[in-house]
Each structure stands twice: as structure tokens, then as C-alpha cells.
Amino acid sequence: MMSRRFFPALLLSLLWLSMGVFGQSQSSAKPKPHVVVLSVNGMELDVVRPLLLEGKMPNLSSVIKKGAYGKLRTVSAPNCPRVFSTIFTSTKPEEHGVTGFIVGGITANTNMLKQEPLWSMLSKKDVTVGMANVPATFPVLPVNGYMISGMLTRGKNCEDGVLCAPKLSEVQGGDAVYPATMKTELLKNVGDFYIDCERMPAASDLKGHESEFIDSWLTKVQLIRDEQTHLFDYLLDHHPTDFTWLGQSCEDRTGHWLYPIAPYNAGYNPKVNAVRTEAFPDQYVAFDKVLGAVLKHIDDNTYVIIVSDHGIKPLREFEETDAHAHMDHEKTTPVIAKHDFADGDDVPGSFFAMGPGIKHDLRLMGFEASVYDIAPTILHIYGIEQPMQMRGHVLSEIFEGSDKAIAQK
Ligand SMILES: [Zn+2]
């Protein structure tokens, strides 16, 4: 297993230990740019756009006005670990190895990554890195800062780690927090938060008490979001890092079974799909509040990048042999929307960026930006040249003036 890894983890962790556990040790070096990434698992622009028009996402609106945004071309048959690992490495799924939720019969995990991820490259260049609830980061790897895992974390009642929600204290089968000492601190100061969003219900959970179940499920989802918001607030206050990446994953989870479909859509069941038609759009309204909490920590010299891995659309037909793992263990969740269409262009992700030198009110048309471009663009902000294996390019079109002006920051 170790031989397939891209670096000897022990060696790197020793290096960072010598620099101070939290890495805030480059007092003599010139300040590094500050970048905060907020990622969303499954942001569907068809649902977000009306909310923007209605003024229900004021924080995202403000980022759009002050920055650049557009669709984000994703990979074929996109799903969360597959796309996020592509974003981390700017390499193809077949190259980085995390091709889906289950790889070779095993839940996707960071030991499978065969290409160096962004956080490792930044850490090596003395950029302090903080990451929390980012999908496909379990078990956590050493960084020049901290890492708290996200989706695919395994734990009690979530033994395979697929689309379920262990609490921090319930994690099993690997570390969810780096450095390990930070876990105690988080339990004390933040509490025992859920690391991922709630599991989707089985058909048997719903049958006969659909509306009560939907209500209680959505209450739990909001609790998880509130806990994560509290965690982000704590981290941004107490552990500021040059590069910070925070993740949200309840949007997609809700969309799969509560997308506001119409009676003519495949899978429509009025007992489920006519009950809380606002539930899925409301996830983005709730996301906007999380964004607002993060923006309170942001100054004009900080880059903010919001990125999603794919959208989500109603089923076009029933697919009896749906290979992807958006099901509960019994595989009976009444899924009515999905994103792993063979053509990823049917369900693009989205991209929003603002910060020093980024153009205002710029809309990227078509597929100017792709999931491969995120890592090179972030490296560029830090003046780090993209390595050969990366398949994306720097999104230079979003920056004012020449590339040099950015590199000098
Ligand atoms: Zn999904």
C-alpha cells in the first residue's frame, strides 16, 4: 500500500512537526495569500438561479457581483469522491485512482490517491492549510496545518462510510482529525459534531409515515449544518490558515430524493414528492447562510472560491441497475434525481470566485472552467507553478491584467 503513495507520510509529518504542529511558523517569510474555498456537493444552477432572482441567496449574490462565476465542466458519470479527487489533483479519475464510491470493493479512501493532492503541494511550499468536512479526505493525511475529514468517513452505524453521518467521537477505521491532538480540542470547544450529512431513508422508513419522516430528516439535516457552521466559525477564529477549505454535503443528499419533481417525472410519488417541495431549494438558502457565516471572517485581501462537483437533475428514466452508491445499505431509497449521467455536461458543477485582482461581475460562458482548473488556479494564486501531471489550466481570464500582477501578490 505504501509503495503506491506519492510521498512518505511519516517523513512529511516529521518535517511539519519540526516546524510547529500548526505550522504558523514562517514569521520571517512574507505573508502568503489567503484563500478560502467553500465546496458544495451537488450545486444545481437550475435551482439556484431562481433563488438568486428572488433574493434568497444574498451572500452568493454578493460574491457574484464582486467576482467571476460560471458552470464548471465535470467528469463523466460524476459523483462526489470521483470529482473531488479530480479537483484535488487535476488528474483524471483513472489516474488518481478514486474512480467512485467503491473502488475494488473498498470504500474510497485517501490511501487510494495515486496523484499528489493540492493540500500536499501547498504544505510543501510552507502554505498553512486547514480543511474541514471536505469529501474523500478520510483517513486524514498530514498537512501543514489541520485536516478534519468529511464524506466517506467511517464510524458507528456508518461502517462502510458511504453517505452516512458518524459523529466525531464515533469515527472508526482511521483518523478523522490531523493532528490527532486537535480532536480533543474540538470535542471540548466545538462539541461532538456530525462529520457528514444524514443517510437517506430506506423505502421502509418512509412507508405509511412519509411526512413525519421527511420533517424529522430535514430537522436532522439542519442540525448537522448548524454544527458544521459552528465548527467553521471556530476554525476560522482559532486556527486561521493561509489556505482553508470547508465542505458542505447536505444539498446533494436532499436533492436525490426530495428534488421538487412534477407528476410527469420518473418516480413521482405524491406521498413523498408533494410534501415538502421547498425542501431541496431550501438547502441552498441554508447553504447561503453558511456562506454568510464564512464571509464574516473574510477581508478584501482574501480570495473566496465556491466550487461544486456537479449538479443534479431528475431521473430521465428508471434505471433498474443503477450502479452508483446513492442508495442506503438496502438500496431502497426512492431516488428521483441523480448526477451520474454518462455525459457529465448534463450536470455541470459551478464555480464562483472573488478576491484581489479577480474581475467583478464576470460570467464565464459555456465550459470555460472545468474541475481540472481549480487546483492550478489556486497554485497560481500562491505563485506555484502547476506540475506536469495536472490536466487543467490557470483560469487567467478571471484575473484583471496580466498573470504577473497576481503572482507578485
Ligand atoms: Zn449525489
Side-chain angles (χ1 to χ4, degrees):
M1 189 77 84
M2 277 308 277
S3 62
R4 284 176 55 202
R5 298 281 293 274
F6 44 85
F7 56 69
L10 181 65
L11 191 71
L12 271 187
S13 49
L14 287 174
L15 174 69
W16 289 319
L17 281 173
S18 72
M19 294 164 60
V21 168
F22 279 84
Q24 286 142 352
S25 55
Q26 72 283 42
S27 53
S28 59
K30 71 172 181 176
K32 300 264 193 308
H34 285 170
V35 177
V36 175
V37 178
L38 185 56
S39 62
V40 183
N41 175 215
M43 182 184 268
E44 175 49 58
L45 289 175
D46 283 352
V47 175
V48 165
R49 283 195 184 97
L51 297 170
L52 289 167
L53 283 173
E54 290 170 31
K56 289 180 174 173
M57 297 185 74
N59 296 303
L60 188 62
S61 287
S62 77
V63 173
I64 290 171
K65 281 198 190 76
K66 289 187 224 164
Y69 84 103
K71 291 195 288 282
L72 193 65
R73 182 170 234 167
T74 190
V75 299
S76 67
N79 65 47
C80 190
R82 179 175 168 87
V83 185
F84 272 93
S85 300
T86 302
I87 295 173
F88 298 156
T89 61
S90 187
T91 62
K92 293 182 176 181
E94 301 72 35
E95 294 167 332
H96 59 65
V98 182
T99 50
F101 281 96
I102 308 289
V103 183
I106 300 168
T107 301
N109 63 74
T110 51
N111 292 314
M112 293 173 179
L113 265 184
K114 289 188 277 192
Q115 299 288 337
E116 187 173 7
L118 177 66
W119 62 75
S120 166
M121 295 176 192
L122 293 171
S123 292
K124 283 178 184 167
K125 295 286 185 181
D126 295 338
V127 176
T128 54
V129 171
M131 296 177 63
N133 296 153
V134 179
T137 57
F138 179 81
V140 288
L141 296 171
V143 287
N144 182 21
Y146 67 85
M147 186 185 289
I148 301 158
S149 63
M151 185 197 288
L152 299 180
T153 299
R154 297 190 288 280
K156 191 177 157 207
N157 300 320
C158 183
E159 280 74 11
D160 69 356
V162 177
L163 300 171
C164 36
K167 286 184 159 189
L168 178 57
S169 69
E170 297 171 342
V171 171
Q172 298 163 355
D175 285 338
V177 180
Y178 176 89
T181 50
M182 196 179 183
K183 181 174 173 180
T184 318
E185 179 200 328
L186 293 173
L187 287 170
K188 179 164 170 269
N189 296 333
V190 181
D192 195 8
F193 55 88
Y194 287 100
I195 282 183
D196 183 22
C197 199
E198 179 70 344
R199 184 193 291 279
M200 291 185 284
S204 55
D205 296 330
L206 286 163
K207 197 160 179 59
H209 25 87
E210 287 85 354
S211 40
E212 298 96 307
F213 190 96
I214 292 169
D215 286 345
S216 66
W217 192 87
L218 290 169
T219 302
K220 175 84 176 283
V221 162
Q222 187 56 46
L223 168 74
I224 292 170
R225 209 187 278 278
D226 290 343
E227 288 182 0
Q228 292 181 340
T229 309
H230 180 44
L231 170 68
F232 299 165
D233 256 331
Y234 178 82
L235 294 169
L236 291 166
D237 269 339
H238 296 272
H239 296 287
T241 46
D242 302 324
F243 175 78
T244 312
W245 188 337
L246 310 169
Q248 290 282 277
S249 60
C250 287
E251 297 78 3
D252 178 76
R253 206 71 54 87
T254 306
H256 277 291
W257 68 291
L258 293 174
Y259 199 109
I261 57 170
Y264 54 77
N265 284 112
Y268 185 80
N269 171 2
K271 286 183 181 163
V272 176
N273 305 117
V275 176
R276 294 280 299 268
T277 51
E278 82 298 348
F280 179 49
D282 274 359
Q283 295 306 308
Y284 297 112
V285 176
F287 162 76
D288 194 75
K289 293 192 169 76
V290 178
L291 174 59
V294 170
L295 290 177
K296 288 200 178 95
H297 298 267
I298 302 301
D299 62 24
D300 288 345
N301 288 315
T302 303
Y303 294 88
V304 176
I305 297 173
I306 299 156
V307 63
S308 82
D309 49 348
H310 52 66
I312 182 166
K313 305 279 191 204
L315 295 182
R316 292 166 182 169
E317 64 279 325
F318 259 118
E319 295 175 43
E320 295 290 325
T321 52
D322 189 342
H324 98 311
H326 270 118
M327 303 285 182
D328 62 286
H329 287 215
E330 295 80 33
K331 294 193 184 293
T332 63
T333 303
V335 166
I336 44 109
K338 61 176 252 176
H339 43 75
D340 62 343
F341 296 104
D343 185 350
D345 287 357
D346 289 346
V347 276
S350 49
F351 168 79
F352 307 79
M354 69 174 193
I358 292 185
K359 290 175 186 166
H360 287 210
D361 213 8
L362 171 72
R363 182 178 165 201
L364 301 174
M365 299 295 177
F367 287 115
E368 286 184 58
S370 93
V371 290
Y372 294 102
D373 302 333
I374 303 300
T377 302
I378 291 169
L379 289 177
H380 173 75
I381 289 171
Y382 287 98
I384 303 169
E385 203 176 327
Q386 80 178 75
M388 290 289 287
Q389 75 274 15
M390 286 193 166
R391 291 188 175 270
H393 68 279
V394 176
L395 292 168
S396 49
E397 57 268 50
I398 69 170
F399 295 103
E400 302 278 4
S402 72
D403 294 355
K404 280 186 193 132
I406 306 304
Q408 283 162 5
K409 278 186 189 302

